[in-house]
Short mmCIF file of all heavy atoms in Angstrom, two decimals:
data_model
loop_
_atom_site.label_atom_id
_atom_site.label_comp_id
_atom_site.label_asym_id
_atom_site.label_seq_id
_atom_site.Cartn_x
_atom_site.Cartn_y
_atom_site.Cartn_z
N ALA A 13 0.84 -1.20 0.00
CA ALA A 13 0.00 0.00 0.00
C ALA A 13 0.88 1.25 0.00
O ALA A 13 1.72 1.42 0.89
CB ALA A 13 -0.92 -0.01 1.22
N LEU A 14 0.69 2.09 -1.01
CA LEU A 14 1.47 3.32 -1.10
C LEU A 14 0.87 4.43 -0.26
O LEU A 14 1.59 5.27 0.27
CB LEU A 14 1.57 3.76 -2.57
CG LEU A 14 2.18 2.72 -3.53
CD1 LEU A 14 2.19 3.26 -4.94
CD2 LEU A 14 3.60 2.36 -3.07
N HIS A 15 -0.46 4.47 -0.18
CA HIS A 15 -1.16 5.46 0.64
C HIS A 15 -2.25 4.75 1.43
O HIS A 15 -2.87 3.81 0.94
CB HIS A 15 -1.80 6.56 -0.22
CG HIS A 15 -0.83 7.41 -0.96
ND1 HIS A 15 0.06 8.26 -0.34
CD2 HIS A 15 -0.62 7.54 -2.30
CE1 HIS A 15 0.78 8.87 -1.27
NE2 HIS A 15 0.39 8.45 -2.47
N LEU A 16 -2.51 5.23 2.62
CA LEU A 16 -3.61 4.74 3.43
C LEU A 16 -4.55 5.89 3.75
O LEU A 16 -4.10 7.00 4.06
CB LEU A 16 -3.12 4.11 4.73
CG LEU A 16 -2.33 2.81 4.61
CD1 LEU A 16 -1.86 2.36 5.99
CD2 LEU A 16 -3.16 1.71 3.95
N GLN A 17 -5.83 5.63 3.69
CA GLN A 17 -6.81 6.64 4.09
C GLN A 17 -6.98 6.56 5.60
O GLN A 17 -7.26 5.49 6.15
CB GLN A 17 -8.14 6.41 3.38
CG GLN A 17 -9.18 7.47 3.72
CD GLN A 17 -10.45 7.31 2.90
OE1 GLN A 17 -10.42 6.79 1.80
NE2 GLN A 17 -11.57 7.76 3.46
N THR A 18 -6.83 7.68 6.27
CA THR A 18 -6.83 7.68 7.73
C THR A 18 -8.07 8.30 8.35
O THR A 18 -8.16 8.42 9.57
CB THR A 18 -5.59 8.44 8.24
OG1 THR A 18 -5.63 9.80 7.75
CG2 THR A 18 -4.31 7.77 7.78
N GLY A 19 -9.02 8.72 7.52
CA GLY A 19 -10.23 9.31 8.07
C GLY A 19 -11.27 9.54 6.99
O GLY A 19 -11.01 9.35 5.80
N VAL A 20 -12.46 9.93 7.41
CA VAL A 20 -13.55 10.23 6.48
C VAL A 20 -14.19 11.55 6.90
O VAL A 20 -14.12 11.95 8.07
CB VAL A 20 -14.62 9.12 6.46
CG1 VAL A 20 -14.05 7.84 5.90
CG2 VAL A 20 -15.21 8.91 7.85
N ILE A 21 -14.82 12.23 5.95
CA ILE A 21 -15.57 13.45 6.23
C ILE A 21 -17.04 13.09 6.16
O ILE A 21 -17.54 12.69 5.11
CB ILE A 21 -15.23 14.56 5.22
CG1 ILE A 21 -13.75 14.95 5.36
CG2 ILE A 21 -16.12 15.78 5.45
CD1 ILE A 21 -13.30 16.01 4.37
N ARG A 22 -17.71 13.22 7.27
CA ARG A 22 -19.13 12.87 7.35
C ARG A 22 -19.96 14.12 7.09
O ARG A 22 -19.83 15.12 7.80
CB ARG A 22 -19.46 12.31 8.73
CG ARG A 22 -20.91 11.89 8.91
CD ARG A 22 -21.11 11.26 10.28
NE ARG A 22 -22.47 10.84 10.49
CZ ARG A 22 -23.40 11.61 11.05
NH1 ARG A 22 -23.08 12.83 11.45
NH2 ARG A 22 -24.63 11.17 11.22
N SER A 23 -20.79 14.06 6.08
CA SER A 23 -21.62 15.22 5.73
C SER A 23 -23.06 14.97 6.15
O SER A 23 -23.55 13.84 6.12
CB SER A 23 -21.56 15.49 4.22
OG SER A 23 -21.90 14.33 3.50
N ASN A 24 -23.72 16.01 6.56
CA ASN A 24 -25.10 15.91 6.98
C ASN A 24 -25.78 17.27 6.81
O ASN A 24 -25.11 18.29 6.68
CB ASN A 24 -25.19 15.45 8.44
CG ASN A 24 -26.57 14.91 8.77
OD1 ASN A 24 -27.42 14.78 7.89
ND2 ASN A 24 -26.81 14.60 10.02
N CYS A 25 -27.09 17.27 6.80
CA CYS A 25 -27.84 18.53 6.70
C CYS A 25 -29.27 18.27 7.12
O CYS A 25 -29.62 17.16 7.53
CB CYS A 25 -27.77 19.09 5.29
SG CYS A 25 -28.66 18.10 4.09
N MET A 26 -30.13 19.27 7.00
CA MET A 26 -31.50 19.12 7.47
C MET A 26 -32.25 18.01 6.74
O MET A 26 -33.00 17.26 7.33
CB MET A 26 -32.25 20.44 7.32
CG MET A 26 -31.83 21.51 8.29
SD MET A 26 -32.93 22.93 8.26
CE MET A 26 -32.69 23.51 6.59
N ASP A 27 -32.07 17.92 5.42
CA ASP A 27 -32.81 16.91 4.67
C ASP A 27 -31.97 15.69 4.32
O ASP A 27 -32.45 14.81 3.63
CB ASP A 27 -33.43 17.49 3.41
CG ASP A 27 -32.55 18.52 2.73
OD1 ASP A 27 -31.38 18.64 3.12
OD2 ASP A 27 -33.03 19.18 1.81
N CYS A 28 -30.75 15.62 4.78
CA CYS A 28 -29.95 14.39 4.84
C CYS A 28 -29.65 13.70 3.51
O CYS A 28 -28.80 12.86 3.46
CB CYS A 28 -30.63 13.37 5.76
SG CYS A 28 -30.90 13.98 7.42
N LEU A 29 -30.35 14.04 2.45
CA LEU A 29 -30.13 13.40 1.16
C LEU A 29 -29.71 14.39 0.09
O LEU A 29 -28.80 14.15 -0.69
CB LEU A 29 -31.40 12.70 0.68
CG LEU A 29 -31.91 11.50 1.47
CD1 LEU A 29 -33.27 11.09 0.93
CD2 LEU A 29 -30.95 10.34 1.37
N ASP A 30 -30.37 15.53 0.08
CA ASP A 30 -30.34 16.37 -1.10
C ASP A 30 -29.15 17.32 -1.12
O ASP A 30 -28.26 17.22 -1.96
CB ASP A 30 -31.66 17.14 -1.19
CG ASP A 30 -32.85 16.20 -1.04
OD1 ASP A 30 -32.85 15.17 -1.73
OD2 ASP A 30 -33.73 16.46 -0.23
N ARG A 31 -29.13 18.25 -0.18
CA ARG A 31 -27.99 19.16 -0.13
C ARG A 31 -26.71 18.43 0.28
O ARG A 31 -25.62 18.82 -0.11
CB ARG A 31 -28.28 20.32 0.82
CG ARG A 31 -29.28 21.30 0.24
CD ARG A 31 -29.60 22.40 1.20
NE ARG A 31 -30.50 21.95 2.23
CZ ARG A 31 -31.03 22.75 3.15
NH1 ARG A 31 -30.70 24.02 3.16
NH2 ARG A 31 -31.85 22.30 4.05
N THR A 32 -26.87 17.35 1.04
CA THR A 32 -25.71 16.53 1.39
C THR A 32 -25.02 16.03 0.13
O THR A 32 -23.80 16.00 0.04
CB THR A 32 -26.14 15.34 2.25
OG1 THR A 32 -26.68 15.84 3.47
CG2 THR A 32 -24.97 14.44 2.57
N ASN A 33 -25.81 15.64 -0.85
CA ASN A 33 -25.24 15.12 -2.09
C ASN A 33 -24.41 16.18 -2.81
O ASN A 33 -23.40 15.87 -3.43
CB ASN A 33 -26.36 14.61 -3.00
CG ASN A 33 -25.82 13.99 -4.26
OD1 ASN A 33 -25.24 12.92 -4.23
ND2 ASN A 33 -25.98 14.67 -5.38
N VAL A 34 -24.84 17.44 -2.72
CA VAL A 34 -24.07 18.52 -3.33
C VAL A 34 -22.70 18.62 -2.69
O VAL A 34 -21.67 18.72 -3.36
CB VAL A 34 -24.83 19.87 -3.20
CG1 VAL A 34 -23.98 21.02 -3.72
CG2 VAL A 34 -26.15 19.82 -3.96
N VAL A 35 -22.66 18.56 -1.37
CA VAL A 35 -21.39 18.64 -0.64
C VAL A 35 -20.52 17.43 -0.95
O VAL A 35 -19.31 17.54 -1.19
CB VAL A 35 -21.64 18.77 0.87
CG1 VAL A 35 -20.33 18.73 1.65
CG2 VAL A 35 -22.41 20.04 1.18
N GLN A 36 -21.13 16.24 -0.94
CA GLN A 36 -20.37 15.03 -1.22
C GLN A 36 -19.76 15.05 -2.62
O GLN A 36 -18.62 14.61 -2.82
CB GLN A 36 -21.27 13.80 -1.06
CG GLN A 36 -21.63 13.50 0.38
CD GLN A 36 -22.64 12.38 0.49
OE1 GLN A 36 -23.35 12.08 -0.46
NE2 GLN A 36 -22.71 11.77 1.66
N SER A 37 -20.51 15.54 -3.59
CA SER A 37 -19.99 15.59 -4.96
C SER A 37 -18.81 16.54 -5.07
O SER A 37 -17.86 16.28 -5.81
CB SER A 37 -21.10 16.00 -5.94
OG SER A 37 -21.55 17.32 -5.68
N GLU A 38 -18.84 17.63 -4.31
CA GLU A 38 -17.71 18.56 -4.32
C GLU A 38 -16.49 17.94 -3.63
O GLU A 38 -15.35 18.11 -4.08
CB GLU A 38 -18.10 19.87 -3.63
CG GLU A 38 -19.10 20.71 -4.42
CD GLU A 38 -18.57 21.08 -5.80
OE1 GLU A 38 -17.41 21.54 -5.90
OE2 GLU A 38 -19.30 20.89 -6.78
N LEU A 39 -16.71 17.21 -2.56
CA LEU A 39 -15.60 16.51 -1.89
C LEU A 39 -14.98 15.48 -2.84
O LEU A 39 -13.76 15.34 -2.91
CB LEU A 39 -16.09 15.83 -0.62
CG LEU A 39 -16.46 16.74 0.55
CD1 LEU A 39 -17.18 15.95 1.63
CD2 LEU A 39 -15.22 17.41 1.13
N ALA A 40 -15.84 14.75 -3.55
CA ALA A 40 -15.34 13.76 -4.50
C ALA A 40 -14.55 14.42 -5.62
O ALA A 40 -13.53 13.89 -6.07
CB ALA A 40 -16.52 12.98 -5.09
N ARG A 41 -14.99 15.60 -6.04
CA ARG A 41 -14.28 16.32 -7.10
C ARG A 41 -12.87 16.70 -6.64
O ARG A 41 -11.89 16.58 -7.39
CB ARG A 41 -15.07 17.56 -7.50
CG ARG A 41 -14.58 18.25 -8.76
CD ARG A 41 -15.32 19.58 -8.97
NE ARG A 41 -16.76 19.39 -8.80
CZ ARG A 41 -17.57 18.95 -9.75
NH1 ARG A 41 -17.06 18.66 -10.95
NH2 ARG A 41 -18.86 18.81 -9.53
N VAL A 42 -12.77 17.17 -5.40
CA VAL A 42 -11.46 17.57 -4.86
C VAL A 42 -10.52 16.37 -4.78
O VAL A 42 -9.36 16.42 -5.20
CB VAL A 42 -11.64 18.21 -3.47
CG1 VAL A 42 -10.29 18.43 -2.80
CG2 VAL A 42 -12.37 19.54 -3.60
N ILE A 43 -11.02 15.24 -4.24
CA ILE A 43 -10.18 14.05 -4.08
C ILE A 43 -9.79 13.47 -5.44
O ILE A 43 -8.63 13.07 -5.65
CB ILE A 43 -10.92 12.99 -3.24
CG1 ILE A 43 -11.08 13.49 -1.80
CG2 ILE A 43 -10.16 11.68 -3.24
CD1 ILE A 43 -9.77 13.72 -1.08
N LEU A 44 -10.73 13.41 -6.38
CA LEU A 44 -10.43 12.87 -7.70
C LEU A 44 -9.37 13.71 -8.41
O LEU A 44 -8.47 13.17 -9.06
CB LEU A 44 -11.70 12.77 -8.54
CG LEU A 44 -11.52 12.19 -9.95
CD1 LEU A 44 -10.94 10.79 -9.89
CD2 LEU A 44 -12.85 12.18 -10.70
N THR A 45 -9.49 15.03 -8.28
CA THR A 45 -8.49 15.91 -8.89
C THR A 45 -7.11 15.63 -8.31
O THR A 45 -6.12 15.54 -9.04
CB THR A 45 -8.86 17.38 -8.65
OG1 THR A 45 -10.15 17.64 -9.23
CG2 THR A 45 -7.83 18.32 -9.27
N ARG A 46 -7.06 15.46 -6.99
CA ARG A 46 -5.78 15.17 -6.35
C ARG A 46 -5.22 13.83 -6.82
O ARG A 46 -4.02 13.69 -7.10
CB ARG A 46 -5.97 15.16 -4.83
CG ARG A 46 -4.70 14.83 -4.06
CD ARG A 46 -5.01 14.80 -2.57
NE ARG A 46 -3.87 14.25 -1.82
CZ ARG A 46 -3.92 13.98 -0.52
NH1 ARG A 46 -5.05 14.20 0.16
NH2 ARG A 46 -2.87 13.49 0.10
N GLN A 47 -6.06 12.81 -6.92
CA GLN A 47 -5.62 11.49 -7.36
C GLN A 47 -5.07 11.54 -8.79
O GLN A 47 -4.03 10.93 -9.10
CB GLN A 47 -6.78 10.50 -7.28
CG GLN A 47 -7.19 10.15 -5.86
CD GLN A 47 -8.44 9.30 -5.82
OE1 GLN A 47 -9.24 9.32 -6.76
NE2 GLN A 47 -8.61 8.56 -4.72
N LEU A 48 -5.77 12.24 -9.67
CA LEU A 48 -5.33 12.32 -11.07
C LEU A 48 -4.02 13.10 -11.21
O LEU A 48 -3.19 12.79 -12.06
CB LEU A 48 -6.43 12.96 -11.92
CG LEU A 48 -7.71 12.13 -12.06
CD1 LEU A 48 -8.78 12.92 -12.81
CD2 LEU A 48 -7.43 10.81 -12.77
N ARG A 49 -3.84 14.11 -10.36
CA ARG A 49 -2.59 14.86 -10.40
C ARG A 49 -1.42 14.00 -9.91
O ARG A 49 -0.35 13.97 -10.53
CB ARG A 49 -2.71 16.12 -9.54
CG ARG A 49 -3.55 17.23 -10.16
CD ARG A 49 -3.68 18.42 -9.23
NE ARG A 49 -4.47 19.49 -9.82
CZ ARG A 49 -4.80 20.62 -9.18
NH1 ARG A 49 -4.41 20.79 -7.91
NH2 ARG A 49 -5.51 21.54 -9.80
N GLU A 50 -1.63 13.30 -8.80
CA GLU A 50 -0.55 12.51 -8.22
C GLU A 50 -0.22 11.26 -9.05
O GLU A 50 0.87 10.73 -8.96
CB GLU A 50 -0.90 12.12 -6.79
CG GLU A 50 -0.97 13.31 -5.85
CD GLU A 50 -1.23 12.92 -4.41
OE1 GLU A 50 -1.38 11.70 -4.16
OE2 GLU A 50 -1.30 13.81 -3.54
N SER A 51 -1.16 10.81 -9.87
CA SER A 51 -0.91 9.66 -10.73
C SER A 51 -0.35 10.06 -12.09
O SER A 51 -0.04 9.19 -12.91
CB SER A 51 -2.19 8.85 -10.93
OG SER A 51 -3.18 9.65 -11.56
N GLY A 52 -0.24 11.38 -12.34
CA GLY A 52 0.35 11.86 -13.58
C GLY A 52 -0.63 12.06 -14.72
O GLY A 52 -0.22 12.47 -15.82
N VAL A 53 -1.91 11.80 -14.50
CA VAL A 53 -2.91 12.02 -15.55
C VAL A 53 -3.15 13.51 -15.75
O VAL A 53 -3.26 13.99 -16.89
CB VAL A 53 -4.22 11.29 -15.21
CG1 VAL A 53 -5.28 11.56 -16.27
CG2 VAL A 53 -3.98 9.80 -15.07
N PHE A 54 -3.24 14.26 -14.65
CA PHE A 54 -3.38 15.71 -14.69
C PHE A 54 -2.04 16.36 -14.41
O PHE A 54 -1.20 15.80 -13.69
CB PHE A 54 -4.39 16.18 -13.63
CG PHE A 54 -5.83 16.08 -14.06
CD1 PHE A 54 -6.19 15.51 -15.27
CD2 PHE A 54 -6.83 16.58 -13.24
CE1 PHE A 54 -7.51 15.42 -15.65
CE2 PHE A 54 -8.16 16.51 -13.61
CZ PHE A 54 -8.50 15.92 -14.82
N SER A 55 -1.87 17.56 -14.96
CA SER A 55 -0.73 18.38 -14.55
C SER A 55 -1.08 19.05 -13.23
O SER A 55 -2.21 18.94 -12.74
CB SER A 55 -0.43 19.44 -15.62
OG SER A 55 -1.48 20.39 -15.68
N SER A 56 -0.14 19.75 -12.66
CA SER A 56 -0.36 20.37 -11.35
C SER A 56 -1.39 21.49 -11.39
O SER A 56 -1.88 21.93 -10.35
CB SER A 56 0.97 20.92 -10.81
OG SER A 56 1.51 21.89 -11.71
N THR A 57 -1.74 21.96 -12.58
CA THR A 57 -2.71 23.06 -12.70
C THR A 57 -4.04 22.60 -13.29
O THR A 57 -5.00 23.39 -13.33
CB THR A 57 -2.13 24.17 -13.58
OG1 THR A 57 -1.80 23.64 -14.88
CG2 THR A 57 -0.90 24.78 -12.95
N ASP A 58 -4.11 21.37 -13.74
CA ASP A 58 -5.36 20.87 -14.33
C ASP A 58 -6.43 20.65 -13.27
O ASP A 58 -6.14 20.25 -12.14
CB ASP A 58 -5.11 19.55 -15.07
CG ASP A 58 -4.47 19.76 -16.42
OD1 ASP A 58 -4.58 20.87 -16.97
OD2 ASP A 58 -3.84 18.80 -16.93
N VAL A 59 -7.67 20.91 -13.67
CA VAL A 59 -8.83 20.61 -12.82
C VAL A 59 -9.87 19.91 -13.69
O VAL A 59 -9.81 19.96 -14.92
CB VAL A 59 -9.44 21.88 -12.20
CG1 VAL A 59 -8.49 22.51 -11.19
CG2 VAL A 59 -9.83 22.88 -13.27
#
């Protein structure tokens, strides 16, 4: 294992499904961008 995940970000809101999904999708976007940069698919400035 080259990297280990050491924690999770738990999202919640009043309606628990809808706006939460907006936050989760943005978190996924940030992590995916980081993964693609570190694997060489993206350059350091690509999003």
